[in-house]
Amino acid sequence: MRRQVCPVEAQQRGQEFYRRQNYKAAIEALNEAIEQQRCPSVSALDNRAASYTKLGNLQAALRDGKQMIHIAKTNITGYLRTGKILQLLGKEDIALGIYKYGLGNVRSDDPDTKLLRRMYDKLAKRCSPPKAVDPLSVLPVELAEMVVKYLSFKNIVNLIGVSQHWHKFLTSMPNLWSDMDFSGASRPVSLRSLQSCVRRSRGKTTRALINKQALFYDYSLKYIMRHCKNLQYLEIQSGLKTRSLVEAAVLAPNLTSIMISVGCETTLDAVSQLLAKCRKLERAEFHNVFSGGALATWAGDMSKLRCLTLNAATTQTLGFTALNLDDLFTQVPNLGELTLRGWKAHSAWTRPVFSVLTELRKLDLAGFQLPVFPSLPSSLQELNMSNCYNIAFSAPGSQTNLLEASLSNLTNLSLSFLSKMSPPDLQALLEPSKGQLLKLDISGCLLHNSDIAKLIQRNFLNSVVELRLRTTSVNDTIAESIAKNMHHLQVLDLGSTKVTGVGVKSLVVSPDINLKTLGLQNCTSVSVDAVDFARSKGLNVTYGFSDNLKYSKRVRLG
């Protein structure tokens, strides 16, 4: 009969064999100890795993390690042993996962937790990619120059402080400083920093983008303009003082483009002075022009000006009368683009004659409250008169100008929310450009379905690729007519119309149309199923529905 072995004695005997480096005898003794235990102890399994490891039987050792974790998840021993064995097997990523798993299971107040954390951090550091290498030490100079050219100006400024090597390298390349972009500055830019940037460019600065942080000091703008003799483009986003603009702009002899954003209110007087003194300007944009109680005085040679934007500020004492447009037009004979947004009416007798601008290709009058439809040049290719709701189309002046308008070159036309425009007025405007109009926006116009149907049937919209009919009376009949007749249409906006799922389906499945984008915002008669169906066919659909679709027209979309 086999003698009963005490598990504790067997384990102690195995530990003694291990110390004597007799690992086989240690395993036999530890096997006896584990067999006598109802549930193997973690310490016995750990001793046997250590013995297996010494003999090179790593798989057997790994089984003991996993068994330790299974038996006692809150005991750190199993995680440490298993992680060590996995590293010997070359599975460091799995070992890292075991350590992380252990950190989530062992008690935080266990003093051995720090050991497990140290093992995790050490292995994580070893598994992480090697430390970053200074690219300037390994890349040829030519390649390094190509790389830094893709960095933003803000990044270049930050890189200067990395080391003396980087400072010397970046400051030796004047072209990097030719485009000074301070638009991302979040703190005041000192005059010294500004001077350093200008000095590094060595006179090659051609573009400057500035916000209020770069204009924190009154002299900053003057310094840039005075020392950047090759400056061609100036954009100011905020923080501008009108007086300093005029004084500084004249110091840049080669300035061809200037853009003053909506964040900078500019007086009309300052605009007229600047245009008169900067005679090389080809593009001038002022997006927040304040008009006082005097008419603008336009003088000087502005023959090089090709693009002009004068958008109105909230304060307008004389409305667009203050612009004195008739005098302005005589000074800009070669103007190709003109934007005059948001100007209010002051006098019904002030009627700008745009037809004298024979080179004008683009005219944007959104929100410009004209009393009558204006006289337009035949050279126009793009016309935006959205929200010009004061125009009296029935007035004799409007009818005369509509009849004389020969817009045969027109490709883009926006007439949204011209509530007083009649269908015959619209047809008269579209007639010369029939067959070549590409974009049309008549959203919010008081047009009946029969009026829109006539435009389609009489081929006014044959060439249109983008059509916007928001907040009109469009229904499924019009949608079906569009699908059958407008073969070039790619973008269609039917937001807030009466179209239903039936109309959507006709637009989606029709072989006669190549629609790519469909707008269905606030179309309460269109179900979500119709939108999903359109998207499943590859259309880009924008929409916004109310929750109540009780009266939506149901249609099978399969």
Side-chain angles (χ1 to χ4, degrees), residues 521-541:
Q521 301 92 329
N522 299 315
C523 290
T524 55
S525 296
V526 177
S527 67
V528 177
D529 290 340
V531 175
D532 292 340
F533 176 71
R535 286 181 169 173
S536 70
K537 298 299 181 180
L539 266 69
N540 177 24
V541 182

Side-chain angles (χ1 to χ4, degrees), residues 225-226 228-231 249-255 279-280:
M225 306 298 270
R226 188 187 299 278
C228 299
K229 297 298 183 182
N230 291 315
L231 189 68
V250 297
L251 300 175
N254 295 305
L255 193 65
R279 299 188 176 184
K280 289 189 178 181

Side-chain angles (χ1 to χ4, degrees), residues 269-287:
D269 181 58
V271 171
S272 62
Q273 289 185 50
L274 190 144
L275 293 179
K277 294 178 180 180
C278 299
R279 299 188 176 184
K280 289 189 178 181
L281 277 178
E282 298 176 4
R283 188 179 194 91
E285 299 182 28
F286 303 91
H287 291 271

Side-chain angles (χ1 to χ4, degrees), residues 49-64:
S51 301
Y52 277 133
T53 302
K54 290 296 185 179
L55 292 175
N57 191 351
L58 297 180
Q59 292 298 331
L62 184 61
R63 284 194 295 271
D64 282 347

Side-chain angles (χ1 to χ4, degrees), residues 7 11 33-34 37-47 68 71:
Q11 184 175 350
I34 292 170
Q37 295 172 343
R38 179 174 299 179
C39 179
S41 67
V42 171
S43 60
L45 289 171
D46 185 45
N47 294 155
M68 282 188 277
I71 292 172

Side-chain angles (χ1 to χ4, degrees), residues 16 154 287 305 375 382 395:
E16 182 62 29
K154 185 176 181 179
H287 291 271
L305 200 61
S375 173
E382 300 180 33

